[in-house]
Amino acid sequence: MTQYTDYFGPEGLLVRGTIIVVPGRGETQATYTRFGRRLAADAYRVRVVDAPDLDTEDLTALATRLAEAAEDTAAENGVVRPLVLVGADSGAAAVAALLGQALATPPDAVVLAGLPGQAPGTTATAGTWDEELDVRTSCPAHRGNLTQDPEVRRGSLDDAVPEAVLAAAYDSETAVPVLLLVGDADPLADHEALAHTAKSLAKARLSVVHGAHHDVLNDLQHRSVAAEAVTFLETLRNELRPLVTVRSSAW
């Protein structure tokens, strides 16, 4: 696997921002091919890095690695802003924990997808590969991609995310805009804690995806989730106010 996987927008369009995707436990850069292509199609520069190994890579080293990944996308006028970090699972926990540090290349916003919970009952238990897939997703395409990728590390959801990282993630008081994405069928999420965190942050948006499991960026609802992410990205240019107001009749 190369150091990064890059996705570029349509030729001739101005780049609307830079997205760095940080995978989670057991995942590879290839896990986010579909997501990367979809955001790139909306003229965002997308780069997927390797998942952090939080047992061997401390947050300072991860911050340096993410800064280098961002700076390496720079054109003549530097990194195209807004710069947004998208973390999934343990990648989300690491990104959230980093918000409490002084970063050399600070993000303008973050997206935290499938943030693991701290409470008892929000950890996976050892089982078969099919059982792990059931925790992750009900999307046949994503299940197939995970199964066919020889670099995916099976059983990884049983690896504990360090308590210090999770504590820092949930205790963050960042003023950076945050989009929290969680599936309402995610057995690894602490939904009450996520709601509390969203209310405690200065600029947070909590989006609950109906029917989605732990791999919320890659479940059956991936089109709607990508659209929600793009909607959030577009609000960064409008003081976080949605550009579209929806009014519908009752049904």
Side-chain angles (χ1 to χ4, degrees):
M1 183 66 70
T2 58
Q3 187 176 9
Y4 310 124
T5 301
D6 289 310
Y7 302 93
F8 300 91
E11 187 175 352
L13 296 184
L14 292 176
V15 178
R16 296 188 62 76
T18 304
I19 314 297
I20 307 295
V21 181
V22 186
R25 287 171 290 182
E27 297 177 329
T28 69
Q29 294 173 26
T31 305
Y32 291 91
T33 297
R34 183 168 61 184
F35 181 73
R37 287 175 175 168
R38 187 159 282 134
L39 267 60
D42 279 305
Y44 286 92
R45 172 77 157 85
V46 183
R47 166 164 284 181
V48 185
V49 303
D50 287 330
D53 183 345
L54 297 176
D55 290 327
T56 60
E57 181 180 32
D58 63 27
L59 291 178
T60 300
L62 176 61
T64 299
R65 183 158 67 89
L66 294 180
E68 290 173 350
E71 292 295 340
D72 191 50
T73 68
E76 291 183 6
N77 297 320
V79 177
V80 179
R81 298 258 177 186
L83 170 63
V84 181
L85 300 179
V86 177
D89 180 61
S90 60
V95 166
L98 282 175
L99 295 178
Q101 300 189 9
L103 302 177
T105 307
D108 298 297
V110 299
V111 177
L112 307 177
L115 184 64
Q118 294 177 280
T122 57
T123 55
T125 56
T128 66
W129 176 237
D130 281 342
E131 289 171 336
E132 181 174 345
L133 287 175
D134 289 342
V135 171
R136 288 185 174 276
T137 180
S138 59
C139 175
H142 184 46
R143 291 170 74 101
N145 289 337
L146 291 173
T147 299
Q148 294 161 18
D149 185 347
E151 300 299 321
V152 166
R153 190 163 52 84
R154 301 187 180 194
S156 58
L157 289 183
D158 285 320
D159 297 343
V161 179
E163 291 184 8
V165 173
L166 283 175
Y170 279 96
D171 292 343
S172 173
E173 296 181 355
T174 182
V176 170
V178 177
L179 170 62
L180 292 154
L181 285 165
V182 62
D184 67 359
D186 181 357
L188 306 187
D190 185 334
H191 298 274
E192 184 176 342
L194 284 173
H196 179 270
T197 296
K199 290 179 180 178
S200 68
L201 294 174
K203 299 176 182 178
R205 173 175 178 152
L206 174 60
S207 297
V208 179
V209 184
H210 300 297
H213 298 74
H214 186 59
D215 292 0
V216 66
L217 295 178
N218 279 306
D219 213 343
L220 277 175
Q221 306 81 358
H222 58 89
R223 293 176 181 83
S224 295
V225 171
E228 178 70 5
V230 170
T231 297
F232 172 71
L233 295 174
E234 292 297 310
T235 67
L236 298 177
R237 297 175 178 79
N238 195 40
E239 299 180 349
L240 298 183
R241 295 193 301 269
L243 298 173
V244 177
T245 298
V246 178
R247 295 186 177 91
S248 60
S249 59
W251 47 53

